[in-house]
Amino acid sequence: MKVTVTVLETRDIIRQWRKEGLTIGFVPTMGFLHEGHASLIKKCREENDKVVVSVFINPTQFGENEDLEAYPRDFNRDTALCEKMGADLIFHPEAEEMYQNPCTVVNITTLSDNLCGKTRPTHFKGVCTVVSKLFNIITPDNAYFGQKDAQQLAIIKKMVKDLNFHIRIVGCPIIREEDGLAKSSRNTYLNETERKAALCLSKAVKKGQEIIFMGCDSEMVLEQMREIIEKESLAKIDYISMVDVLTMQPVDHVEKPVVVAMAVYIGKTRLIDNFIYGEE
Ligand code: AMP
């Protein structure tokens, strides 16, 4: 497995693979990898000749008072996990390599208006910009994203369509801890008490899945989920919402495939979770 830090050396390797007629799969990450990331790399390994993982904490997707500085890092451990999962290349640039006084951004409207986009108004502009840049550098055939970040997945799918990237976007299911908590690099921020409190998210997801399956409509589903979270004194709801899986716009009735998504603060840590209903 190779590790590159510049765009130039990355392009050289990709060019060689292309000459050999090999297919390329890509998994973008911010590092501090866990089994959620590993599941993406595994799927990518199964479907492509070559597997590229990027490890880059993208500064432009963090808001001013967010956790850019505190974001956990352990590149040695990330390298070991990528190697174990059969990756061929890690692209690990510094911010200066990726951004040299840029004047260009990729912005997406509508899909980024609510949910996480409301609380983090510049977040998806940063995501779309960096993912576009990474797509242009890696030129993958297939790129793998987690359903854990449901709004991000919908946004990337739409961006790829709108901008004619010739890349297939593959959504991968949420990987959870044994007790239900969705795996996240940010779970390391939680102390022992908060870790227990954080279970209210997955409990709410479970409850939501149960009652939506029984035929309950949006308001009832959201209310019962809200109730579970509000019982937890350390939890503060940022949002809980039922949205169309493609447009990310709120729905009142469960007619088409929907995502029920939430963001909840546990102490100072903002966690997200969701489930899809109605998709084959
Ligand atoms: P991040 O490093 O947090 O930016 O995540 C990189 C990719 O891993 C994104 O596509 C995430 O959606 C995905 N991911 C993160 N956590 C999980 C999880 N628990 N299960 C599945 N995918 C995940």
Side-chain angles (χ1 to χ4, degrees):
M1 188 184 71
K2 293 192 172 101
V3 177
T4 55
V5 296
T6 68
V7 174
L8 209 67
E9 57 183 330
T10 310
R11 284 220 163 106
D12 280 347
I13 293 170
I14 303 278
R15 196 176 302 119
Q16 187 54 39
W17 289 345
R18 286 286 175 218
K19 251 194 223 159
E20 293 169 32
L22 302 171
T23 57
I24 297 170
F26 176 43
V27 181
T29 82
M30 295 211 298
F32 210 69
L33 306 180
H34 49 66
E35 285 92 335
H37 300 107
S39 73
L40 270 54
I41 302 171
K42 180 167 182 275
K43 178 100 174 139
C44 183
R45 179 70 283 166
E46 286 162 7
E47 296 186 349
N48 301 274
D49 296 323
K50 293 291 180 186
V51 171
V52 182
V53 179
S54 63
V55 174
F56 178 56
I57 302 180
N58 174 38
T60 67
Q61 70 190 66
F62 287 79
E64 254 178 39
N65 297 314
E66 291 183 359
D67 57 340
L68 173 60
E69 294 308 319
Y71 199 84
R73 297 147 213 249
D74 189 342
F75 188 62
N76 287 338
R77 213 187 55 159
D78 292 347
T79 310
L81 186 114
C82 287
E83 182 108 57
K84 184 175 141 208
M85 299 310 297
D88 297 287
L89 171 63
I90 303 181
F91 178 45
H92 181 48
E94 294 289 337
E96 295 72 32
E97 176 68 11
M98 292 295 281
Y99 298 107
Q100 288 130 26
N101 297 321
C103 299
T104 311
V105 292
V106 179
N107 200 10
I108 183 158
T109 56
T110 328
L111 276 84
S112 63
D113 286 350
N114 58 358
L115 310 179
C116 290
K118 207 171 210 168
T119 319
R120 309 182 72 193
T122 58
H123 174 66
F124 288 114
K125 188 165 69 178
V127 169
C128 287
T129 304
V130 80
V131 170
S132 298
K133 285 165 70 66
L134 290 166
F135 281 177
N136 282 330
I137 296 163
I138 313 290
T139 63
D141 300 284
N142 303 297
Y144 298 78
F145 291 83
Q147 182 59 41
K148 158 97 185 329
D149 299 84
Q151 191 175 15
Q152 171 174 279
L153 177 58
I155 281 175
I156 298 296
K157 280 183 177 167
K158 179 72 173 132
M159 179 189 83
V160 160
K161 206 169 172 199
D162 287 351
L163 298 184
N164 302 96
F165 281 107
H166 192 52
I167 299 169
R168 176 175 150 257
I169 302 300
V170 183
C172 303
I174 301 176
I175 304 297
R176 297 176 180 280
E177 302 285 355
E178 239 168 62
D179 61 6
L181 179 67
K183 296 216 181 228
S184 163
S185 308
R186 289 190 167 97
N187 290 349
T188 52
Y189 296 154
L190 303 169
N191 66 29
E192 211 176 308
T193 323
E194 290 170 338
R195 174 66 182 77
K196 279 190 196 129
L199 285 180
C200 67
L201 280 94
S202 51
K203 278 187 197 147
V205 161
K206 203 159 169 238
K207 183 73 180 181
Q209 281 173 319
E210 270 167 32
I211 61 173
I212 205 170
F213 194 74
M214 283 158 47
C216 288
D217 228 346
S218 172
E219 215 18 71
M220 175 70 114
V221 173
L222 297 176
E223 188 167 326
Q224 298 236 1
M225 291 174 70
R226 233 178 260 130
E227 226 172 73
I228 290 176
I229 310 246
E230 280 166 358
K231 264 195 226 146
E232 178 48 68
S233 61
L234 290 177
K236 190 170 158 284
I237 296 172
D238 177 8
Y239 67 78
I240 300 188
S241 190
M242 187 183 292
V243 296
D244 180 281
V245 78
L246 293 177
T247 65
M248 294 285 116
Q249 298 309 302
V251 295
D252 293 329
H253 306 294
V254 191
E255 281 158 358
K256 285 183 281 187
V258 292
V259 181
V260 181
M262 69 178 112
V264 175
Y265 288 94
I266 303 292
K268 286 197 174 123
T269 306
R270 185 173 175 279
L271 300 176
I272 55 173
D273 204 342
N274 71 79
F275 68 91
I276 304 187
Y277 180 78
E279 226 178 30
E280 280 122 50

